Amino acid sequence: MENFKNYINGQWVAPQSGKYFDNINPADISDIIGKFPESGQADVNAAVAAAKEAFKKWKNMPAPKRGDLIRKAGDIFARRKDEIARIMTREMGKPVFETKGDIQEAIDTAYYAASETRRLFGFNAPSELTAKMNMSFRTPIGVVGVITAFNFPVAVPSWKILPALAAGNTVVYKPSKDVPYAGVLFAEVMEEAGFPAGVFNVVLGKGYMGNMLVEHPDVKVIGFTGSTSVGVKLGEICGKLNKRISLEMGGKNPQIVMPDANMDLAIDGVLWGAFGTTGQRCTATSRLILHKDIYDEFIENLAEKAKKLRLGNGLDPETQVGPVIHQAQLDTCIQYTEIATNEGARLVCGGKRATEGDLAKGYFYEPTIFADVTVNMRLFQEEVFGPVLAVAKADSFEHAIELANSIEYGLSSSIYTKNVNDAFRAMNLLEAGITYINAPTIGAEAHMPFGGVKGTGNGHREGGWTVFDIFTEWKTVYVDFSDTLQRAQIDNY
Ligand code: UN1
């Protein structure tokens, strides 16, 4: 069995602890993919030191030259797409068509970030004084620590790593313990693209390493995607250390369906939004809010289709829904099924582990739908991160919006309606960073701002041009070419 390595300062190195952990295929737990480093403080220190040293030169490379390397990384991801997708599926379970989409999102991010290196959005403005010019431009910050979740093993890290590098920072990346192989593959791509040693480093290990990165005095910015409980703790540490962190945390994303909607479209939307990626997206549709006029019929038709979804190993081209990531996530699905039942919600379909045939080998949970979920129930409020959908009834458009907003989270949201006024009202009223009209709550594109309001985040937006606000500082420059002392606010008035 292969012992995988960290990628530090352009070298593949064993963890200084000499310790490794098994990486298990969630669709077949007898399939051990490899042994991956259980790194520690010494490895983190080595990676941060390499990144700090590399920053001295990397920040001075012309940005479009940095962009050339990033574009090349995109080309390599494109060339290796099929091969990497199959490894990702084996490692984390989602079907190959989804892991290919995941890699495509990284390719899109690479090409977009590369093109942004020719712009990077500085601006200038007139001075209040004569013969004086004002401008402001972005500067890199230093070593960026990247901490991500398992569900998008390549796309979500790429959202942080590639723009951070484009802006002239260097990176130490800690992938989720559930997808270390994807972290190794990311490093292989960056190595082949020709990034100078130390510019990009990968340190593999378990959750505790997130703290090591966050607390390291030479790591200046943190990009985090993961659970709310972990994110909030890391945010607290960064607050004390006066360190910037962008937090991308949980969601409890609603899809509203109005009586005038195209019902077949709305059903297909919720099937994809709720059960795609086995519900393990921060953007997953976990609440369905149905107008009372269509409530019963919609649930019946939806359940009929949900029951037909094909569960299986994601490497099988017939599979529509893969396993959940590990035993703990399976336990969470079981627990929330119990909680919702005890609170009086009505189980419409699913609600148990799937064990038929080969499914018994992995962590499969049946696509589960609970109807008659009300606002105070835990299933309405809390993120499950699995294939468990809560359905609630709304009396009116206003009531639907009120229900949608009655939670702590605010990542994604959606409404299905043909009424243009309702659509535009919803755009304004839904408390979420992202709103879809006649589309499911998932499907963000690389070149648009991504992030949530309320308990989902802390005000940052990845994706698009806004991500550069996370990974740069503004420098303002005043050039006085009048050859006289001009005192601002004094000589001009
Ligand atoms: C996530 O779940 O962390 O919009 C990201 C989407 C994907 C990204 C999801 N493009 O669902």
Side-chain angles (χ1 to χ4, degrees), residues 31 94 123 136 157 159 180 268 352 358 362 366 433 468 477:
D31 175 24
K94 65 186 178 184
F123 57 89
S136 199
W159 290 358
D268 286 346
K352 59 183 193 308
D358 280 352
E366 288 183 1
F468 291 101
V477 178

Side-chain angles (χ1 to χ4, degrees), residues 105 151-152 156 159 225 280-283 436 441-444 450:
E105 205 163 330
N151 60 337
F152 277 81
V156 170
W159 290 358
T225 296
Q280 299 173 114
R281 294 196 189 207
C282 53
T283 51
Y436 290 89
T441 60
I442 66 178
F450 180 95

Side-chain angles (χ1 to χ4, degrees), residues 80-96:
R80 295 187 63 185
K81 187 172 175 181
D82 288 2
E83 170 219 344
I84 295 179
R86 296 185 72 80
I87 297 172
M88 282 161 67
T89 292
R90 182 176 168 214
E91 181 170 56
M92 59 72 71
K94 65 186 178 184
V96 171

Side-chain angles (χ1 to χ4, degrees), residues 105-185:
E105 205 163 330
I107 297 166
D108 298 341
T109 301
Y111 293 159
Y112 179 68
S115 68
E116 274 298 342
T117 59
R118 290 192 176 266
R119 187 159 61 165
L120 284 174
F121 290 111
F123 57 89
N124 52 24
S127 170
E128 62 190 45
L129 295 159
T130 47
K132 192 175 171 196
M133 191 169 162
N134 300 351
M135 61 186 126
S136 199
F137 53 86
R138 295 177 185 276
T139 57
I141 304 177
V143 179
V144 171
V146 172
I147 304 167
T148 49
F150 72 87
N151 60 337
F152 277 81
V154 165
V156 170
S158 82
W159 290 358
K160 304 172 200 296
I161 293 165
L162 301 177
L165 294 174
N169 306 283
T170 54
V171 170
V172 177
Y173 169 39
K174 184 210 102 61
S176 153
K177 70 169 190 345
D178 300 313
V179 291
Y181 203 162
V184 167
L185 294 166

